[in-house]
Amino acid sequence: MSGNRTFRQSMSWLHGWAGLLLGWLLFAIFLTGTLTVFDKEISWWMQPELRDTGVDQPTAARFAQDWLAREHGEAAVWSIGLPTERSPVLKVSTGEDRRAERLVLDPESGARVPVRDSVGGNFFFRFHYSLHLPRTLGIWLVGLAAMAMLVALVSGIVIHRHLFRDFFAFRPVGSRRAWLDGHNASAVLLLPFHLMITYTGLVIFFLIYMPAALDALYGGDRMAMLREASPGAQAVAGGMDRGDQRSRDGASAREAPPAELLPLESFIVPAEALFGSGMVASLRVRHPGRANARVEASPLLGSRIALTKGEAAVFDGVSGKLLQAPAEKRPSALTQRVMAGLHFAQFGGYPMRWLYFLCSAVSCAMIATGLVLFVIRQRLKVAEANAGQGFLRLVETLNVGTLAGLMLGCVALLWAARLLPADLAGRAGWEARLFFAVWALAFVHAWRRPPMAAWREQLWAAALLCMGLPLLEGFSAPSLDKTRLLLELCVFLCGAVLGWVAWRVGKASAADGVSRSLEGAMRC
Protein backbone atom coordinates (compact mmCIF):
# COMPACT_ATOMS: atom_id res chain seq x y z
CA MET A 1 0.00 0.00 0.00
CA SER A 2 2.86 2.32 0.88
CA GLY A 3 4.38 1.84 -2.56
CA ASN A 4 1.07 2.53 -4.26
CA ARG A 5 0.55 5.64 -2.18
CA THR A 6 4.01 6.95 -3.04
CA PHE A 7 3.51 6.31 -6.75
CA ARG A 8 0.14 8.05 -6.69
CA GLN A 9 1.62 11.03 -4.87
CA SER A 10 4.36 11.24 -7.50
CA MET A 11 1.74 11.19 -10.24
CA SER A 12 -0.23 13.88 -8.41
CA TRP A 13 2.85 16.11 -8.29
CA LEU A 14 3.53 15.48 -11.99
CA HIS A 15 -0.09 16.13 -12.90
CA GLY A 16 -0.20 19.40 -11.02
CA TRP A 17 3.06 20.89 -12.25
CA ALA A 18 2.80 19.65 -15.83
CA GLY A 19 -0.70 21.08 -15.98
CA LEU A 20 0.37 24.39 -14.46
CA LEU A 21 3.62 25.12 -16.29
CA LEU A 22 2.12 24.45 -19.71
CA GLY A 23 -1.56 24.80 -18.84
CA TRP A 24 -1.69 28.44 -19.88
CA LEU A 25 -0.17 27.57 -23.25
CA LEU A 26 -2.51 24.59 -23.61
CA PHE A 27 -5.57 26.75 -22.97
CA ALA A 28 -4.49 29.18 -25.69
CA ILE A 29 -3.90 26.30 -28.11
CA PHE A 30 -7.22 24.62 -27.35
CA LEU A 31 -9.27 27.83 -27.41
CA THR A 32 -7.91 28.91 -30.78
CA GLY A 33 -8.30 25.32 -32.00
CA THR A 34 -11.95 25.45 -30.95
CA LEU A 35 -12.46 28.61 -32.99
CA THR A 36 -10.56 27.10 -35.91
CA VAL A 37 -13.34 24.53 -36.31
CA PHE A 38 -15.32 27.38 -37.89
CA ASP A 39 -12.41 29.28 -39.42
CA LYS A 40 -14.05 29.76 -42.82
CA GLU A 41 -17.28 30.99 -41.22
CA ILE A 42 -15.30 33.49 -39.14
CA SER A 43 -13.51 34.69 -42.27
CA TRP A 44 -16.90 35.08 -43.96
CA TRP A 45 -18.17 37.24 -41.09
CA MET A 46 -15.02 39.40 -40.97
CA GLN A 47 -15.40 40.29 -44.66
CA PRO A 48 -18.99 41.56 -45.00
CA GLU A 49 -18.51 42.38 -48.69
CA LEU A 50 -18.73 38.67 -49.45
CA ARG A 51 -22.18 37.34 -50.27
CA ASP A 52 -23.66 34.07 -51.44
CA THR A 53 -24.94 34.54 -54.98
CA GLY A 54 -26.22 30.96 -55.16
CA VAL A 55 -24.30 30.29 -58.39
CA ASP A 56 -23.50 26.63 -58.97
CA GLN A 57 -20.01 25.36 -59.78
CA PRO A 58 -20.46 24.82 -63.55
CA THR A 59 -21.76 28.37 -64.01
CA ALA A 60 -18.95 29.76 -61.84
CA ALA A 61 -16.31 27.81 -63.80
CA ARG A 62 -17.71 29.05 -67.11
CA PHE A 63 -17.67 32.68 -65.95
CA ALA A 64 -14.16 32.37 -64.48
CA GLN A 65 -12.84 30.91 -67.74
CA ASP A 66 -14.31 33.74 -69.81
CA TRP A 67 -12.98 36.38 -67.39
CA LEU A 68 -9.47 34.91 -67.19
CA ALA A 69 -9.26 34.46 -70.98
CA ARG A 70 -10.22 38.11 -71.43
CA GLU A 71 -8.12 39.64 -68.63
CA HIS A 72 -5.18 37.21 -68.31
CA GLY A 73 -5.10 35.24 -71.55
CA GLU A 74 -1.28 35.15 -71.63
CA ALA A 75 -0.86 33.85 -68.07
CA ALA A 76 0.85 30.47 -67.75
CA VAL A 77 -1.39 29.30 -64.91
CA TRP A 78 -4.99 29.97 -63.92
CA SER A 79 -6.28 29.06 -60.48
CA ILE A 80 -10.02 28.97 -59.78
CA GLY A 81 -11.54 28.48 -56.36
CA LEU A 82 -15.06 27.19 -56.93
CA PRO A 83 -18.03 28.00 -54.67
CA THR A 84 -18.47 25.44 -51.87
CA GLU A 85 -20.84 25.03 -48.96
CA ARG A 86 -18.57 26.80 -46.47
CA SER A 87 -17.20 29.38 -48.91
CA PRO A 88 -19.85 30.09 -51.55
CA VAL A 89 -17.80 32.57 -53.59
CA LEU A 90 -15.77 32.42 -56.79
CA LYS A 91 -12.07 33.29 -56.49
CA VAL A 92 -9.41 33.45 -59.20
CA SER A 93 -5.68 34.09 -59.36
CA THR A 94 -2.82 33.66 -61.83
CA GLY A 95 0.73 32.39 -61.48
CA GLU A 96 2.38 29.53 -59.62
CA ASP A 97 2.20 31.03 -56.12
CA ARG A 98 -0.57 29.15 -54.33
CA ARG A 99 -0.58 31.76 -51.55
CA ALA A 100 -1.13 34.66 -53.94
CA GLU A 101 -4.09 36.89 -53.25
CA ARG A 102 -7.19 35.66 -55.01
CA LEU A 103 -9.64 38.04 -56.60
CA VAL A 104 -13.33 37.58 -55.82
CA LEU A 105 -15.67 37.66 -58.82
CA ASP A 106 -19.42 38.08 -58.89
CA PRO A 107 -20.83 35.90 -61.71
CA GLU A 108 -24.15 37.75 -61.52
CA SER A 109 -22.84 41.27 -62.09
CA GLY A 110 -19.68 40.22 -63.91
CA ALA A 111 -17.55 42.52 -61.75
CA ARG A 112 -14.77 42.15 -59.22
CA VAL A 113 -15.85 42.33 -55.60
CA PRO A 114 -13.63 44.64 -53.49
CA VAL A 115 -13.04 42.79 -50.22
CA ARG A 116 -11.41 44.34 -47.17
CA ASP A 117 -8.09 42.96 -46.03
CA SER A 118 -8.52 40.82 -42.91
CA VAL A 119 -6.69 38.11 -41.00
CA GLY A 120 -9.91 36.11 -40.99
CA GLY A 121 -10.34 32.79 -39.25
CA ASN A 122 -6.92 31.75 -40.51
CA PHE A 123 -5.49 33.90 -37.68
CA PHE A 124 -6.78 31.41 -35.10
CA PHE A 125 -5.58 28.48 -37.20
CA ARG A 126 -2.03 29.82 -37.36
CA PHE A 127 -2.05 30.61 -33.66
CA HIS A 128 -3.29 27.10 -32.90
CA TYR A 129 -0.29 25.33 -34.43
CA SER A 130 2.49 27.97 -34.35
CA LEU A 131 1.45 30.64 -31.79
CA HIS A 132 2.29 33.21 -34.50
CA LEU A 133 5.97 32.62 -33.75
CA PRO A 134 8.58 31.58 -36.32
CA ARG A 135 7.11 28.37 -37.72
CA THR A 136 9.60 25.81 -36.41
CA LEU A 137 9.84 27.40 -32.95
CA GLY A 138 6.05 27.63 -32.66
CA ILE A 139 5.52 24.03 -33.76
CA TRP A 140 8.07 22.80 -31.20
CA LEU A 141 6.41 24.78 -28.39
CA VAL A 142 2.98 23.45 -29.36
CA GLY A 143 4.43 19.92 -29.49
CA LEU A 144 5.92 20.37 -26.01
CA ALA A 145 2.53 21.50 -24.74
CA ALA A 146 0.84 18.51 -26.40
CA MET A 147 3.27 16.13 -24.67
CA ALA A 148 2.50 17.85 -21.36
CA MET A 149 -1.21 17.34 -22.10
CA LEU A 150 -0.66 13.61 -22.60
CA VAL A 151 1.32 13.45 -19.34
CA ALA A 152 -1.45 15.31 -17.50
CA LEU A 153 -4.14 13.03 -18.92
CA VAL A 154 -2.34 9.79 -18.06
CA SER A 155 -1.28 10.96 -14.61
CA GLY A 156 -4.81 12.23 -13.99
CA ILE A 157 -6.18 8.75 -14.66
CA VAL A 158 -3.68 7.30 -12.20
CA ILE A 159 -4.25 9.70 -9.29
CA HIS A 160 -8.05 9.69 -9.40
CA ARG A 161 -9.08 6.29 -8.11
CA HIS A 162 -12.75 7.29 -8.00
CA LEU A 163 -12.73 9.37 -11.15
CA PHE A 164 -15.70 7.66 -12.81
CA ARG A 165 -17.69 7.55 -9.58
CA ASP A 166 -17.08 11.25 -8.96
CA PHE A 167 -18.36 12.03 -12.44
CA PHE A 168 -21.87 11.15 -11.20
CA ALA A 169 -21.46 13.17 -8.00
CA PHE A 170 -21.32 16.76 -9.20
CA ARG A 171 -21.84 19.12 -6.27
CA PRO A 172 -22.33 22.71 -7.43
CA VAL A 173 -22.69 24.07 -3.87
CA GLY A 174 -19.37 25.07 -2.38
CA SER A 175 -16.87 26.62 -4.76
CA ARG A 176 -13.87 24.40 -3.99
CA ARG A 177 -15.74 21.12 -4.41
CA ALA A 178 -17.56 22.41 -7.50
CA TRP A 179 -14.30 23.30 -9.28
CA LEU A 180 -12.91 19.81 -8.60
CA ASP A 181 -16.12 18.10 -9.67
CA GLY A 182 -16.26 20.18 -12.84
CA HIS A 183 -12.65 19.32 -13.64
CA ASN A 184 -13.20 15.60 -13.06
CA ALA A 185 -16.46 15.49 -14.99
CA SER A 186 -15.09 17.30 -18.05
CA ALA A 187 -12.02 15.05 -18.00
CA VAL A 188 -13.94 11.77 -17.77
CA LEU A 189 -16.77 12.68 -20.11
CA LEU A 190 -14.47 13.36 -23.06
CA LEU A 191 -11.34 11.43 -22.14
CA PRO A 192 -11.23 9.60 -25.52
CA PHE A 193 -11.54 12.93 -27.34
CA HIS A 194 -8.80 14.55 -25.22
CA LEU A 195 -6.43 11.67 -25.97
CA MET A 196 -7.32 11.54 -29.67
CA ILE A 197 -7.03 15.25 -30.39
CA THR A 198 -3.73 15.55 -28.50
CA TYR A 199 -2.08 12.49 -30.04
CA THR A 200 -3.20 13.26 -33.60
CA GLY A 201 -1.90 16.79 -33.21
CA LEU A 202 1.55 15.32 -32.56
CA VAL A 203 1.26 12.92 -35.50
CA ILE A 204 0.69 15.76 -37.96
CA PHE A 205 4.23 17.06 -37.45
CA PHE A 206 5.91 13.72 -36.82
CA LEU A 207 8.67 14.49 -39.33
CA ILE A 208 9.63 17.56 -37.29
CA TYR A 209 9.38 15.93 -33.88
CA MET A 210 11.02 12.62 -34.87
CA PRO A 211 13.44 13.23 -37.75
CA ALA A 212 15.85 10.38 -36.88
CA ALA A 213 14.26 7.83 -39.24
CA LEU A 214 14.09 10.37 -42.06
CA ASP A 215 17.77 11.20 -41.60
CA ALA A 216 18.81 7.54 -41.37
CA LEU A 217 16.78 6.17 -44.30
CA TYR A 218 16.57 9.11 -46.68
CA GLY A 219 19.46 11.35 -45.67
CA GLY A 220 17.00 14.01 -44.55
CA ASP A 221 15.34 14.16 -47.99
CA ARG A 222 11.67 14.57 -47.11
CA MET A 223 10.51 14.49 -50.73
CA ALA A 224 12.18 11.13 -51.26
CA MET A 225 10.28 9.73 -48.31
CA LEU A 226 7.00 11.14 -49.60
CA ARG A 227 7.60 9.70 -53.07
CA GLU A 228 8.12 6.25 -51.59
CA ALA A 229 5.12 6.58 -49.27
CA SER A 230 2.96 7.55 -52.27
CA PRO A 231 4.59 5.66 -55.16
CA GLY A 232 3.43 7.95 -57.91
CA ALA A 233 -0.03 8.96 -58.94
CA GLN A 234 -1.82 6.44 -61.08
CA ALA A 235 -1.04 7.25 -64.68
CA VAL A 236 -3.97 6.25 -66.85
CA ALA A 237 -3.12 4.01 -69.81
CA GLY A 238 -2.05 6.15 -72.72
CA GLY A 239 -1.95 9.17 -70.48
CA MET A 240 0.97 11.28 -69.32
CA ASP A 241 4.32 10.41 -70.83
CA ARG A 242 7.64 12.12 -70.31
CA GLY A 243 6.88 14.74 -72.89
CA ASP A 244 3.60 15.52 -71.18
CA GLN A 245 5.37 15.77 -67.83
CA ARG A 246 7.92 18.24 -69.18
CA SER A 247 5.07 20.20 -70.69
CA ARG A 248 3.25 20.23 -67.37
CA ASP A 249 6.36 21.58 -65.69
CA GLY A 250 6.54 24.41 -68.20
CA ALA A 251 9.75 23.36 -69.95
CA SER A 252 8.19 23.27 -73.42
CA ALA A 253 5.19 25.53 -72.88
CA ARG A 254 6.24 28.11 -75.46
CA GLU A 255 6.83 25.41 -78.08
CA ALA A 256 3.29 24.02 -77.88
CA PRO A 257 0.97 25.29 -80.66
CA PRO A 258 -2.23 27.16 -79.81
CA ALA A 259 -5.31 25.04 -79.14
CA GLU A 260 -8.77 25.67 -77.81
CA LEU A 261 -9.30 24.86 -74.14
CA LEU A 262 -12.39 22.79 -73.38
CA PRO A 263 -15.07 24.44 -71.22
CA LEU A 264 -13.83 24.10 -67.65
CA GLU A 265 -17.24 23.07 -66.34
CA SER A 266 -16.86 19.84 -68.34
CA PHE A 267 -14.10 18.70 -65.95
CA ILE A 268 -16.24 18.94 -62.81
CA VAL A 269 -18.33 15.80 -63.38
CA PRO A 270 -15.38 13.45 -64.13
CA ALA A 271 -13.54 14.89 -61.13
CA GLU A 272 -16.58 14.23 -58.93
CA ALA A 273 -16.51 10.64 -60.15
CA LEU A 274 -13.10 10.36 -58.45
CA PHE A 275 -13.67 12.46 -55.33
CA GLY A 276 -17.41 12.26 -54.75
CA SER A 277 -20.40 14.42 -55.57
CA GLY A 278 -19.93 18.06 -54.56
CA MET A 279 -16.35 17.42 -53.44
CA VAL A 280 -14.45 19.42 -56.08
CA ALA A 281 -12.93 22.56 -54.53
CA SER A 282 -10.79 24.10 -57.25
CA LEU A 283 -9.49 23.93 -60.82
CA ARG A 284 -5.97 24.80 -61.89
CA VAL A 285 -5.16 25.28 -65.58
CA ARG A 286 -1.59 25.15 -66.84
CA HIS A 287 -0.75 26.59 -70.28
CA PRO A 288 -4.31 27.65 -71.17
CA GLY A 289 -4.82 28.11 -74.90
CA ARG A 290 -2.01 25.69 -75.76
CA ALA A 291 -2.02 22.12 -77.03
CA ASN A 292 -0.28 21.01 -73.82
CA ALA A 293 -2.94 22.53 -71.55
CA ARG A 294 -3.52 20.57 -68.36
CA VAL A 295 -6.43 20.93 -65.95
CA GLU A 296 -5.90 19.87 -62.33
CA ALA A 297 -9.00 19.29 -60.21
CA SER A 298 -8.46 19.29 -56.43
CA PRO A 299 -10.92 17.97 -53.84
CA LEU A 300 -12.23 19.48 -50.65
CA LEU A 301 -10.24 18.51 -47.58
CA GLY A 302 -13.39 16.93 -46.22
CA SER A 303 -14.05 14.46 -49.01
CA ARG A 304 -13.04 11.60 -46.67
CA ILE A 305 -11.56 11.00 -43.21
CA ALA A 306 -8.03 10.71 -44.62
CA LEU A 307 -6.81 14.23 -45.29
CA THR A 308 -6.81 14.90 -49.04
CA LYS A 309 -4.48 17.92 -49.03
CA GLY A 310 -2.21 17.91 -52.07
CA GLU A 311 -4.28 15.43 -54.08
CA ALA A 312 -5.41 16.21 -57.61
CA ALA A 313 -6.68 14.63 -60.79
CA VAL A 314 -5.02 15.79 -64.03
CA PHE A 315 -6.88 16.05 -67.34
CA ASP A 316 -5.82 16.96 -70.85
CA GLY A 317 -7.25 20.45 -71.32
CA VAL A 318 -7.84 19.99 -75.06
CA SER A 319 -9.23 16.45 -75.29
CA GLY A 320 -10.61 16.11 -71.75
CA LYS A 321 -8.84 12.77 -71.27
CA LEU A 322 -7.96 11.74 -67.72
CA LEU A 323 -4.15 11.60 -67.55
CA GLN A 324 -3.48 11.08 -63.88
CA ALA A 325 -5.64 9.92 -61.01
CA PRO A 326 -4.96 10.59 -57.30
CA ALA A 327 -2.13 8.56 -55.86
CA GLU A 328 -2.68 5.33 -53.98
CA LYS A 329 -0.92 5.66 -50.64
CA ARG A 330 0.89 2.96 -48.76
CA PRO A 331 -0.53 1.93 -45.36
CA SER A 332 1.95 4.03 -43.37
CA ALA A 333 1.19 7.21 -45.30
CA LEU A 334 -2.54 6.48 -45.26
CA THR A 335 -2.45 6.00 -41.49
CA GLN A 336 -0.81 9.39 -41.04
CA ARG A 337 -3.39 10.99 -43.35
CA VAL A 338 -6.23 9.44 -41.32
CA MET A 339 -4.70 10.72 -38.08
CA ALA A 340 -4.40 14.20 -39.57
CA GLY A 341 -7.97 13.98 -40.88
CA LEU A 342 -9.25 13.07 -37.42
CA HIS A 343 -7.54 16.15 -35.99
CA PHE A 344 -8.68 18.61 -38.66
CA ALA A 345 -12.30 17.36 -38.65
CA GLN A 346 -12.91 18.22 -42.30
CA PHE A 347 -15.17 15.21 -42.79
CA GLY A 348 -18.78 14.67 -41.76
CA GLY A 349 -20.10 18.12 -42.61
CA TYR A 350 -21.54 20.52 -40.07
CA PRO A 351 -22.81 17.87 -37.60
CA MET A 352 -19.24 16.63 -37.12
CA ARG A 353 -17.97 20.19 -36.98
CA TRP A 354 -20.38 21.09 -34.18
CA LEU A 355 -19.44 17.92 -32.31
CA TYR A 356 -15.76 18.87 -32.44
CA PHE A 357 -16.57 22.43 -31.41
CA LEU A 358 -18.48 21.33 -28.31
CA CYS A 359 -15.87 18.71 -27.38
CA SER A 360 -13.08 21.26 -27.76
CA ALA A 361 -15.00 23.74 -25.62
CA VAL A 362 -15.23 21.11 -22.88
CA SER A 363 -11.48 20.56 -23.21
CA CYS A 364 -10.96 24.29 -22.64
CA ALA A 365 -13.16 24.06 -19.54
CA MET A 366 -11.13 21.11 -18.26
CA ILE A 367 -7.86 23.02 -18.60
CA ALA A 368 -9.32 26.18 -17.08
CA THR A 369 -10.78 24.42 -14.03
CA GLY A 370 -7.45 22.64 -13.50
CA LEU A 371 -5.61 25.96 -13.42
CA VAL A 372 -8.16 27.42 -11.00
CA LEU A 373 -7.88 24.35 -8.78
CA PHE A 374 -4.11 24.83 -8.52
CA VAL A 375 -4.65 28.38 -7.27
CA ILE A 376 -7.22 27.24 -4.70
CA ARG A 377 -4.87 24.61 -3.33
CA GLN A 378 -1.90 26.98 -3.40
CA ARG A 379 -3.93 29.59 -1.53
CA LEU A 380 -4.59 27.08 1.26
CA LYS A 381 -0.88 26.22 1.48
CA VAL A 382 0.07 29.90 1.59
CA ALA A 383 -2.47 30.51 4.37
CA GLU A 384 -1.05 27.66 6.41
CA ALA A 385 2.65 28.49 5.86
CA ASN A 386 2.19 32.26 5.70
CA ALA A 387 4.67 32.32 2.78
CA GLY A 388 4.70 32.15 -0.99
CA GLN A 389 2.45 35.15 -1.62
CA GLY A 390 4.55 36.34 -4.57
CA PHE A 391 4.31 33.04 -6.45
CA LEU A 392 0.57 32.82 -5.77
CA ARG A 393 0.05 36.37 -7.05
CA LEU A 394 1.97 35.54 -10.24
CA VAL A 395 -0.08 32.40 -10.89
CA GLU A 396 -3.35 34.26 -10.27
CA THR A 397 -2.31 37.00 -12.68
CA LEU A 398 -1.38 34.51 -15.39
CA ASN A 399 -4.65 32.65 -14.86
CA VAL A 400 -6.77 35.76 -15.32
CA GLY A 401 -4.73 37.10 -18.23
CA THR A 402 -4.61 33.77 -20.07
CA LEU A 403 -8.15 32.53 -19.49
CA ALA A 404 -10.33 35.65 -19.38
CA GLY A 405 -7.84 37.87 -21.23
CA LEU A 406 -7.49 35.57 -24.23
CA MET A 407 -11.26 35.29 -24.62
CA LEU A 408 -11.44 39.08 -24.43
CA GLY A 409 -8.76 39.38 -27.10
CA CYS A 410 -10.57 36.96 -29.43
CA VAL A 411 -13.85 38.84 -29.37
CA ALA A 412 -11.96 42.16 -29.60
CA LEU A 413 -10.48 40.87 -32.88
CA LEU A 414 -14.01 40.47 -34.28
CA TRP A 415 -14.86 44.03 -33.26
CA ALA A 416 -11.65 45.31 -34.83
CA ALA A 417 -12.55 43.55 -38.09
CA ARG A 418 -15.62 45.78 -38.39
CA LEU A 419 -14.50 49.02 -36.73
CA LEU A 420 -11.20 49.54 -38.56
CA PRO A 421 -11.59 51.48 -41.84
CA ALA A 422 -12.09 49.09 -44.74
CA ASP A 423 -9.42 50.82 -46.86
CA LEU A 424 -6.81 51.08 -44.10
CA ALA A 425 -3.32 50.23 -45.36
CA GLY A 426 -2.00 47.03 -43.78
CA ARG A 427 -5.41 46.43 -42.27
CA ALA A 428 -4.91 42.73 -41.48
CA GLY A 429 -1.74 43.56 -39.58
CA TRP A 430 -3.60 46.13 -37.48
CA GLU A 431 -6.25 43.55 -36.60
CA ALA A 432 -3.56 41.20 -35.31
CA ARG A 433 -1.84 44.01 -33.38
CA LEU A 434 -5.07 44.98 -31.67
CA PHE A 435 -5.66 41.36 -30.64
CA PHE A 436 -2.25 41.11 -29.00
CA ALA A 437 -2.57 44.62 -27.50
CA VAL A 438 -5.88 43.77 -25.80
CA TRP A 439 -4.45 40.47 -24.57
CA ALA A 440 -1.35 42.21 -23.17
CA LEU A 441 -3.50 44.84 -21.42
CA ALA A 442 -5.47 41.99 -19.83
CA PHE A 443 -2.29 40.82 -18.07
CA VAL A 444 -1.52 44.36 -16.89
CA HIS A 445 -5.07 44.73 -15.59
CA ALA A 446 -4.89 41.34 -13.85
CA TRP A 447 -1.67 42.38 -12.08
CA ARG A 448 -2.98 45.78 -10.97
CA ARG A 449 -6.36 44.61 -9.69
CA PRO A 450 -7.25 42.14 -6.91
CA PRO A 451 -7.67 38.64 -8.39
CA MET A 452 -11.44 38.30 -7.92
CA ALA A 453 -12.07 41.84 -9.20
CA ALA A 454 -9.87 41.15 -12.24
CA TRP A 455 -11.77 37.94 -12.96
CA ARG A 456 -15.12 39.67 -12.67
CA GLU A 457 -14.21 42.73 -14.74
CA GLN A 458 -12.56 40.87 -17.61
CA LEU A 459 -15.29 38.26 -17.82
CA TRP A 460 -17.94 40.99 -17.89
CA ALA A 461 -16.01 42.86 -20.58
CA ALA A 462 -15.78 39.74 -22.75
CA ALA A 463 -19.45 38.95 -22.13
CA LEU A 464 -20.62 42.42 -23.13
CA LEU A 465 -18.51 42.42 -26.29
CA CYS A 466 -19.88 39.01 -27.26
CA MET A 467 -23.50 39.95 -26.64
CA GLY A 468 -23.02 43.28 -28.40
CA LEU A 469 -21.65 41.73 -31.58
CA PRO A 470 -25.09 41.41 -33.28
CA LEU A 471 -25.64 45.14 -32.65
CA LEU A 472 -22.29 45.90 -34.26
CA GLU A 473 -23.34 43.86 -37.29
CA GLY A 474 -26.58 45.81 -37.51
CA PHE A 475 -24.82 49.18 -37.48
CA SER A 476 -21.79 48.33 -39.64
CA ALA A 477 -23.09 45.94 -42.30
CA PRO A 478 -26.74 44.89 -42.08
CA SER A 479 -27.13 41.41 -43.47
CA LEU A 480 -29.60 38.55 -43.37
CA ASP A 481 -26.90 36.08 -44.34
CA LYS A 482 -27.55 32.76 -42.61
CA THR A 483 -23.92 32.01 -41.81
CA ARG A 484 -23.31 35.42 -40.25
CA LEU A 485 -26.52 35.30 -38.24
CA LEU A 486 -25.69 31.85 -36.85
CA LEU A 487 -22.19 32.95 -35.92
CA GLU A 488 -23.54 36.01 -34.12
CA LEU A 489 -26.07 33.87 -32.28
CA CYS A 490 -23.31 31.50 -31.19
CA VAL A 491 -21.14 34.39 -30.00
CA PHE A 492 -24.13 35.90 -28.17
CA LEU A 493 -24.75 32.62 -26.35
CA CYS A 494 -21.07 32.40 -25.42
CA GLY A 495 -21.36 35.93 -24.05
CA ALA A 496 -24.39 34.90 -21.98
CA VAL A 497 -22.39 32.01 -20.49
CA LEU A 498 -19.47 34.32 -19.71
CA GLY A 499 -21.86 36.79 -18.12
CA TRP A 500 -23.29 34.05 -15.91
CA VAL A 501 -19.76 33.01 -14.88
CA ALA A 502 -18.89 36.66 -14.11
CA TRP A 503 -22.04 36.97 -12.00
CA ARG A 504 -21.17 33.79 -10.10
CA VAL A 505 -17.62 35.05 -9.53
CA GLY A 506 -18.99 38.32 -8.17
CA LYS A 507 -21.42 36.49 -5.94
CA ALA A 508 -18.68 34.20 -4.63
CA SER A 509 -16.41 37.19 -4.04
CA ALA A 510 -19.11 38.97 -2.04
CA ALA A 511 -19.81 35.86 0.02
CA ASP A 512 -16.09 35.41 0.65
CA GLY A 513 -15.85 39.01 1.82
CA VAL A 514 -18.76 38.55 4.25
CA SER A 515 -17.27 35.34 5.64
CA ARG A 516 -13.91 37.06 6.18
CA SER A 517 -15.63 39.96 7.95
CA LEU A 518 -17.49 37.56 10.25
CA GLU A 519 -14.30 35.64 10.88
CA GLY A 520 -12.51 38.88 11.81
CA ALA A 521 -15.34 39.90 14.12
CA MET A 522 -15.21 36.52 15.88
CA ARG A 523 -11.47 36.91 16.40
CA CYS A 524 -12.01 40.33 17.94
Side-chain angles (χ1 to χ4, degrees), residues 96-179:
E96 290 286 353
D97 188 0
R98 292 180 179 271
R99 296 184 179 180
E101 180 184 3
R102 291 191 169 189
L103 303 178
V104 179
L105 303 180
D106 185 352
E108 288 187 337
S109 65
R112 279 184 53 187
V113 179
V115 181
R116 68 184 64 189
D117 186 24
S118 176
V119 292
N122 191 54
F123 176 85
F124 299 114
F125 175 65
R126 287 188 59 206
F127 191 104
H128 174 65
Y129 77 87
S130 70
L131 307 175
H132 280 277
L133 296 172
R135 190 175 188 273
T136 301
L137 174 62
I139 289 173
W140 271 105
L141 286 176
V142 171
L144 180 63
M147 288 301 300
M149 181 73 167
L150 286 177
V151 169
L153 288 171
V154 174
S155 59
I157 295 172
V158 172
I159 66 177
H160 291 105
R161 288 181 295 179
H162 306 299
L163 191 63
F164 289 91
R165 187 186 69 184
D166 287 347
F167 171 68
F168 297 99
F170 183 68
R171 290 150 285 195
V173 180
S175 59
R176 193 179 310 158
R177 185 73 249 184
W179 283 112

Side-chain angles (χ1 to χ4, degrees), residues 218-233:
Y218 302 96
D221 187 351
R222 179 177 179 179
M223 295 308 298
M225 186 277 294
L226 294 176
R227 284 193 296 270
E228 185 173 336
S230 300

Side-chain angles (χ1 to χ4, degrees), residues 209-246:
Y209 299 140
M210 297 180 292
L214 181 65
D215 293 338
L217 299 176
Y218 302 96
D221 187 351
R222 179 177 179 179
M223 295 308 298
M225 186 277 294
L226 294 176
R227 284 193 296 270
E228 185 173 336
S230 300
Q234 298 175 7
V236 179
M240 296 180 66
D241 55 24
R242 292 182 180 180
D244 287 328
Q245 186 64 42
R246 287 196 306 269

Side-chain angles (χ1 to χ4, degrees), residues 391-440:
F391 175 72
L392 176 62
R393 186 75 181 95
L394 175 63
V395 173
E396 288 178 328
T397 299
L398 291 174
N399 269 2
V400 177
T402 301
L403 304 182
L406 181 58
M407 291 186 286
L408 182 59
C410 290
V411 67
L413 178 63
L414 297 181
W415 279 72
R418 288 300 177 82
L419 295 180
L420 289 175
D423 57 351
L424 178 66
R427 192 177 184 281
W430 281 108
E431 289 180 355
R433 293 185 195 102
L434 285 173
F435 165 84
F436 286 111
V438 170
W439 194 15

Side-chain angles (χ1 to χ4, degrees), residues 333-416:
L334 182 60
T335 300
Q336 196 272 342
R337 288 291 184 115
V338 169
M339 291 289 183
L342 286 172
H343 189 88
F344 282 104
Q346 298 294 321
F347 62 96
Y350 276 108
M352 185 62 68
R353 200 167 293 280
W354 275 109
L355 178 62
Y356 267 68
F357 178 83
L358 295 174
C359 291
S360 297
V362 174
S363 299
C364 294
M366 179 190 67
I367 297 169
T369 51
L371 291 170
V372 172
L373 275 172
F374 186 93
V375 168
I376 293 174
R377 290 170 178 169
Q378 193 68 24
R379 192 178 293 147
L380 293 174
K381 293 179 181 178
V382 168
E384 293 175 358
N386 196 24
Q389 289 284 350
F391 175 72
L392 176 62
R393 186 75 181 95
L394 175 63
V395 173
E396 288 178 328
T397 299
L398 291 174
N399 269 2
V400 177
T402 301
L403 304 182
L406 181 58
M407 291 186 286
L408 182 59
C410 290
V411 67
L413 178 63
L414 297 181
W415 279 72

Side-chain angles (χ1 to χ4, degrees), residues 43-60:
S43 297
W44 184 264
W45 188 91
M46 294 175 76
Q47 296 177 312
E49 297 84 4
L50 298 176
R51 66 186 187 92
D52 183 3
T53 60
V55 175
D56 57 22
Q57 287 191 341
T59 302

